[in-house]
Amino acid sequence: MPNQINSFGSDSRPKPLSYDAVWDRVDPLAADCGSNPADTGLAKLPYGTLGGPGFERLVYELLQAGNKRPWFFGRTGQADYGVDIVTEATGRQTIYQCKNYAEAPSFSDVRKAVTKFESEWLSGMNLPAPEAFVYCCPHLLDDRSFDVEWERFRDAFQKRTGVALSFLDRHELDSKLRRLPDLVAGLFSDSSAEHFCGHDDWRDDPWVRLQRGPARFLGINRFLERHDRSAIYVAESHEQLFLAALDQGSTVALRGLPGMGKSFLALELACRMRQPLRRIYYATFKDGVSAERLWQSVRRRLSLPALFTLDDCHLAPGATEILLERLGPELRNSKLKLVLILRDQVGEAADRLDDTPAWLVRLKEERAIIDLPADVTRTLAVTCHLRPNFTGLSRSRLERLHNICGGDLLLLDEILQTVTLPKDIDTLEVVEVLGKVRTHYFGGNRRLPTLAKLAAIAQFDLLPRADFFYGEWRPGEEESADPLMTRLFAPPRFQFLHSSLAALVLRALAQLDVADDALDDMAASITTATLRDYLLYLSTTADTGEFAAAIEQSLRGNLYFWGDDLNEARIRSEVLGDEAIKAAIESRLARQSFANLELCVWWLSAVDHPAKAFYIELIERRFRILFEQTHSCGDTMAIDDIGAGLSALRNHATDRWASVLNEYGYEPFLRLIRANGTVVELFMVLKNATSGFRTALLEQLTAEQAEALIDKTIATGRSIGTLNLATRELGETDPDLLIRLENVIGAPGFLRLIHANGTVFELFMVVKHATPRFRTALLEQLTAEQAEALIDKTIGTGRSIGTLHLAMRELGE
């Protein structure tokens, strides 16, 4: 629908308002009425609290939920001719007039409204007669005397004008809204949705609507405060990428290091979508929510076009994959758009660790990922947006500012509040900011040792259990921490606003006890001791899975103000090398993934810590546990990342790598894969094995066994988005092995796998990295009907085709 200068086109028909004008009428960020069913009645909705504009919004959203494609008529201050909302179907329009009086309208009120419409719209403006005129009011129009007069008036009017008259009153409003809890919650309250619509658990759902007013997540309030004062920088290129990705598909991901403003940027970009306006919902995997609950909750919130922003997807890549699969049908509906936010791996670990989830590979192929770099250019852009008087900042000052904040936009915002003029940057040091942090958050130089411990754990983006701190809070200390964190439940936990702010608070509090030249050592001492104590606490009070997850989270990501990976490695190595921690991990070895153990070895190797040998041994023992459970499906965690275990040994203990492969041999590995794995695990083992081991394994793999693995991969619905990466690497390092692999899998098998679990993209990528002979064989097997089915699936999933020409160009060359 084009933007309009007025409400009429050249053909004198009513046209939609501009998207911005509609936003003013139906503000997706507007707070609900906060109605309490205990006051208004469990079976009633307080329509009167909506007022006139709110009631118009209600009718508009009801029509939108019914796919009527409504639009508002007229601008504020202009004559409305008795018309508020218009819908159109098959060239015929329906006119809606909305009245929200304190008392039920009398027949004379209704007659007056209809007469005004007739005289000003049909006669005065000589506009085309609509199909129907609907009088909307939130009252019961069932008085008998009213009905008699109304029926007589209605019949005469319809005979005279050809326009049907009808009501949308409380009976019909209640009937429609009982089936639309998301509309009721958005306009009245979550509690109203629970009682009026019969959804007892609505307030416990993981998705939170973005709206003004108190929010479950403090970050939402902070976002809205910045949004309202236009303090969120959006690069034009990012906005274009975001809109293009959601125009061509249904999903987009924002990826970057901590502090890059990923969450704020995603929500700000969501607020800029206008075609159509969308309600915006937010959830985070920090809540520990399951993919099943997220999926069910989304489905209950699709009455209106909506955008769902899911944060911290790096914490649960498997659950993200499941959610995308479950939402497949809904994602093909234009009403639903999904934004995924994830923290990127950093430093050398990003290049070395082979754990990129398949869904992220797919989005990369579709050009549906927005990467947020922690570079000087972005720091300058944000600085100039927040402080226009800093435009033209010299290169030396810019680099100094960038280095102090580490590219973290949250820290940059804090730092910019401490400088007045560009020249102040020349003498700015992080230690100078810390005093202002204490003043800003705590009102001065207060010693808060328990909060310092909480900040030390929150640096790792962990959500520590509240009972870990029981009995340690000083009087008033916990209240001082409230502006910095959110309290989560089941079990009770603390969530810091951001890991970068936690690092800043830790140093600000540590500075009170030591000289500035000893600040690094003090912060490291608090961090090491607190993280060790918390992990040991989990080892005795939490289930084994939570302990393993906390170990993994403490090893991933970067910390602030430590300068480089070496300093971070010293902190992590001191914790990993602690005898009690080693014993706790060893006693729960069966619940540790190979990826976890690989990270342990990587950090210990960075500082050549003697505990490295112990964790190498744990990896070997983890293989022993895995092979002892060959005929059980209970160790799927280790089977899924078995390649990471081999990769760790290959990179850090070559002799032990060869020893493990020789000790178990290719037959047990093949037996394990056949019993509990799929084609994906086969490829990962081949990728991380010795050349001789690969050859021996493939010589034993029969065509029948390969076909069975393909059947299992198809049956489990495993994504095959990363298989082309393995074939590419094999082609580069061992071309003969790639030929063997192609022979045993066979062109029909590959094609069957692609047809079941892939799209045109997987076909193109496999063809791109295959040998010339296998390409020919694969394409000879591909029928026109199969190709058409793949095209239909690609269209059905809404995948972008922006990268197909690259594969075709490479094949052509």
Side-chain angles (χ1 to χ4, degrees):
M1 301 180 202
N3 289 348
Q4 288 291 118
I5 301 299
N6 54 55
S7 297
F8 298 93
S10 58
D11 61 354
S12 295
R13 297 177 66 83
K15 294 296 193 299
L17 301 180
S18 70
Y19 298 118
D20 287 339
V22 175
W23 179 286
D24 293 337
R25 302 281 187 95
V26 188
D27 182 358
L29 304 182
D32 59 58
C33 294
S35 59
N36 185 351
D39 299 328
T40 60
L42 299 182
K44 295 181 179 180
L45 290 176
Y47 295 106
T49 61
L50 297 176
F55 185 64
E56 282 189 26
R57 174 182 175 180
L58 168 61
V59 174
Y60 178 92
E61 291 187 348
L62 271 176
L63 294 170
Q64 194 175 30
N67 297 316
K68 301 293 186 181
R69 302 184 66 186
W71 68 79
F72 289 103
F73 176 79
R75 281 174 159 70
T76 302
Q78 294 180 343
D80 59 17
Y81 309 104
V83 174
D84 292 318
I85 300 173
V86 182
T87 62
E88 184 168 350
T90 63
R92 298 299 302 276
Q93 295 174 337
T94 298
I95 301 299
Y96 296 82
Q97 185 176 86
C98 307
K99 298 295 183 182
N100 192 3
Y101 297 129
E103 302 293 336
S106 63
F107 170 71
S108 62
D109 293 328
V110 177
R111 181 178 57 193
K112 181 179 178 182
V114 175
T115 302
K116 177 182 178 182
F117 162 71
E118 181 180 10
S119 62
E120 295 184 5
W121 179 279
L122 298 180
S123 302
M125 294 300 297
N126 195 29
L127 290 169
E131 185 174 26
F133 178 94
V134 182
Y135 185 91
C136 310
C137 69
H139 299 91
L140 299 177
L141 300 179
D142 52 8
D143 181 82
R144 180 59 184 164
S145 60
F146 183 105
D147 289 345
V148 171
E149 293 185 275
W150 165 251
E151 290 175 4
R152 187 183 304 116
F153 175 77
R154 180 195 61 196
D155 295 342
F157 180 86
Q158 186 167 348
K159 183 177 181 180
R160 181 171 67 254
T161 64
V163 178
L165 296 179
S166 63
F167 288 119
L168 178 60
D169 67 354
R170 182 167 191 154
H171 280 307
E172 191 169 354
L173 289 172
D174 285 352
S175 176
K176 292 178 181 294
L177 288 173
R178 288 191 192 281
R179 301 189 299 272
L180 300 171
D182 51 336
L183 266 68
V184 172
L187 287 163
F188 297 100
S189 68
D190 287 340
S191 185
S192 295
E194 289 185 338
H195 291 89
F196 184 79
C197 302
H199 284 278
D200 296 340
D201 57 347
W202 187 268
R203 283 177 293 185
D204 295 329
D205 270 9
W207 296 103
V208 175
R209 187 170 73 87
L210 198 68
Q211 62 175 332
R212 293 179 174 84
R216 183 195 306 173
F217 303 107
L218 289 180
I220 290 180
N221 295 122
R222 294 175 61 246
F223 162 75
L224 289 171
E225 184 272 329
R226 284 164 170 75
H227 168 78
D228 289 341
R229 59 183 175 90
S230 301
I232 300 174
Y233 169 72
V234 179
E236 183 179 353
S237 60
H238 290 157
E239 184 171 6
Q240 291 175 349
L241 272 172
F242 183 86
L243 296 176
L246 293 185
D247 181 57
Q248 298 175 23
S250 57
T251 308
V252 66
L254 274 72
R255 178 174 63 176
L257 299 176
M260 292 299 95
K262 301 181 293 295
S263 302
F264 282 9
L265 177 60
L267 295 174
E268 179 67 22
L269 288 170
C271 291
R272 298 190 179 193
M273 297 188 73
R274 292 292 192 269
Q275 303 184 50
L277 296 181
R278 297 179 181 272
R279 282 191 174 175
I280 303 167
Y281 295 94
Y282 175 88
T284 171
F285 274 117
K286 286 182 178 178
D287 263 354
V289 65
S290 68
E292 179 72 16
R293 285 190 64 209
L294 288 167
W295 171 59
Q296 293 286 2
S297 181
V298 165
R299 296 179 67 204
R300 300 200 299 185
R301 286 166 166 78
L302 287 181
S303 301
L304 300 175
L307 183 145
F308 293 82
T309 302
L310 182 58
D311 211 343
D312 301 299
C313 294
H314 58 280
L315 297 179
T320 304
E321 178 74 46
I322 294 172
L323 177 65
L324 288 169
E325 291 176 358
R326 298 299 299 270
L327 280 177
E330 287 82 7
L331 287 170
R332 289 190 284 274
N333 184 330
S334 61
K335 276 188 176 182
L336 170 61
K337 300 295 181 183
L338 181 64
V339 181
L340 306 175
I341 306 171
L342 66 150
R343 174 175 295 189
D344 206 11
Q345 293 298 316
V346 297
E348 297 177 16
D351 300 325
R352 186 186 55 76
L353 295 177
D354 183 25
D355 57 357
T356 302
W359 56 267
L360 195 58
V361 174
R362 292 198 302 269
L363 291 179
K364 184 176 182 180
E365 292 172 354
E366 297 169 11
R367 295 185 177 180
I369 295 179
I370 299 175
D371 285 316
L372 304 182
D375 55 22
V376 176
T377 302
R378 182 166 170 79
T379 300
L380 175 62
V382 175
T383 298
C384 295
H385 180 76
L386 295 174
R387 298 289 295 275
N389 61 316
F390 277 35
T391 301
L393 203 63
S394 69
R395 183 72 183 182
S396 61
R397 286 173 175 167
L398 173 61
E399 290 181 348
R400 181 175 181 79
L401 185 62
H402 177 74
N403 291 333
I404 289 175
C405 72
D408 186 300
L409 302 189
L410 180 64
L411 296 184
L412 177 63
D413 193 12
E414 295 284 349
I415 289 170
L416 287 176
Q417 295 177 36
T418 71
V419 296
T420 303
L421 300 172
K423 66 182 181 63
D424 297 335
I425 297 174
D426 298 340
T427 57
L428 181 67
E429 298 288 348
V430 172
V431 292
E432 300 173 21
V433 179
L434 302 181
K436 296 184 180 295
V437 170
R438 292 192 296 271
T439 300
H440 178 69
Y441 288 110
F442 314 125
N445 295 333
R446 299 177 57 198
R447 282 179 168 77
L448 306 167
T450 306
L451 178 56
K453 291 181 180 180
L454 172 58
I457 299 175
Q459 287 181 106
F460 299 92
D461 215 22
L462 286 164
L463 279 65
R465 290 190 175 210
D467 50 9
F468 176 68
F469 302 96
Y470 284 168
E472 294 196 22
W473 294 105
R474 292 186 177 183
E477 188 179 11
E478 192 170 1
E479 289 76 10
S480 298
D482 280 343
L484 298 166
M485 65 187 185
T486 300
R487 285 175 168 77
L488 305 177
F489 301 95
R493 299 177 184 275
F494 295 128
Q495 178 186 359
F496 232 84
L497 288 178
H498 200 279
S499 56
S500 60
L501 180 59
L504 195 65
V505 168
L506 169 63
R507 287 174 173 264
L509 296 175
Q511 190 185 41
L512 294 174
D513 296 316
V514 296
D516 288 345
D517 59 0
L519 185 57
D520 283 351
D521 290 339
M522 174 59 78
S525 176
I526 297 173
T527 298
T528 302
T530 308
L531 179 60
R532 171 193 176 279
D533 290 346
Y534 182 65
L535 292 176
L536 290 177
Y537 166 81
L538 288 181
S539 72
T540 59
T541 60
D543 63 57
T544 304
E546 183 175 352
F547 172 72
I551 291 285
E552 179 180 8
Q553 185 61 33
S554 68
L555 297 176
R556 291 187 179 273
N558 69 322
L559 301 178
Y560 290 86
F561 306 127
W562 300 106
D564 53 37
D565 283 349
L566 193 60
N567 288 324
E568 294 186 41
R570 292 192 181 99
I571 293 173
R572 288 175 163 115
S573 295
E574 187 172 341
V575 175
L576 292 171
D578 181 88
E579 292 302 322
I581 292 293
K582 289 164 62 177
I585 293 176
E586 183 179 18
S587 66
R588 294 158 180 78
L589 184 58
R591 290 300 303 271
Q592 293 291 336
S593 67
F594 281 119
N596 249 20
L597 296 172
E598 182 186 23
L599 282 167
C600 293
V601 172
W602 189 85
W603 285 113
L604 292 162
S605 297
V607 293
D608 198 23
H609 196 284
K612 169 185 172 182
F614 172 79
Y615 285 91
I616 291 290
E617 181 186 347
L618 288 186
I619 292 178
E620 295 181 86
R621 289 169 57 186
R622 187 68 182 89
F623 272 108
R624 189 171 301 116
I625 293 172
L626 174 62
F627 282 107
E628 288 174 353
Q629 299 179 1
T630 298
H631 299 293
S632 169
C633 295
D635 204 4
T636 55
M637 174 177 60
I639 297 171
D640 288 345
D641 68 355
I642 190 172
L646 292 174
S647 173
L649 296 177
R650 182 184 65 181
N651 291 325
H652 301 288
T654 306
D655 59 330
R656 306 312 304 151
W657 173 52
S659 176
V660 165
L661 291 173
N662 292 332
E663 177 182 352
Y664 297 106
Y666 59 84
E667 290 184 356
F669 271 92
L670 181 57
R671 193 162 56 244
L672 176 71
I673 294 170
R674 288 170 51 198
N676 297 333
T678 66
V679 170
V680 177
E681 285 69 44
L682 171 66
F683 275 50
M684 290 302 102
V685 168
L686 292 173
K687 177 181 176 182
N688 291 290
T690 62
S691 179
F693 186 94
R694 295 168 176 171
T695 301
L697 189 151
L698 283 180
E699 284 179 349
Q700 291 296 315
L701 182 66
T702 66
E704 292 76 14
Q705 292 170 343
E707 186 173 359
L709 284 177
I710 291 173
D711 289 340
K712 191 183 299 184
T713 309
I714 293 172
T716 57
R718 285 291 298 272
S719 169
I720 59 173
T722 58
L723 292 189
N724 69 88
L725 304 179
T727 57
R728 181 184 66 187
E729 182 168 327
L730 290 175
E732 293 171 350
T733 60
D734 199 337
D736 292 338
L737 178 68
L738 179 58
I739 294 174
R740 284 179 178 273
L741 181 61
E742 291 174 343
N743 287 338
V744 73
I745 299 295
F750 258 109
L751 189 58
R752 191 160 61 89
L753 186 60
I754 294 169
H755 187 265
N757 290 17
T759 66
V760 169
F761 280 93
E762 282 68 37
L763 172 64
F764 271 62
M765 291 301 104
V766 168
V767 169
K768 177 180 177 180
H769 298 302
T771 61
R773 180 193 60 79
F774 190 75
R775 292 172 183 167
T776 301
L778 189 68
L779 291 177
E780 285 179 348
Q781 293 285 327
L782 182 66
T783 66
E785 291 77 13
Q786 290 173 329
E788 185 173 359
L790 283 176
I791 292 171
D792 289 341
K793 188 187 295 187
T794 308
I795 294 172
T797 57
R799 296 189 68 175
S800 166
I801 59 173
T803 58
L804 291 187
H805 70 284
L806 301 178
M808 296 180 69
R809 182 184 67 188
E810 184 168 328
L811 290 174
E813 294 171 351

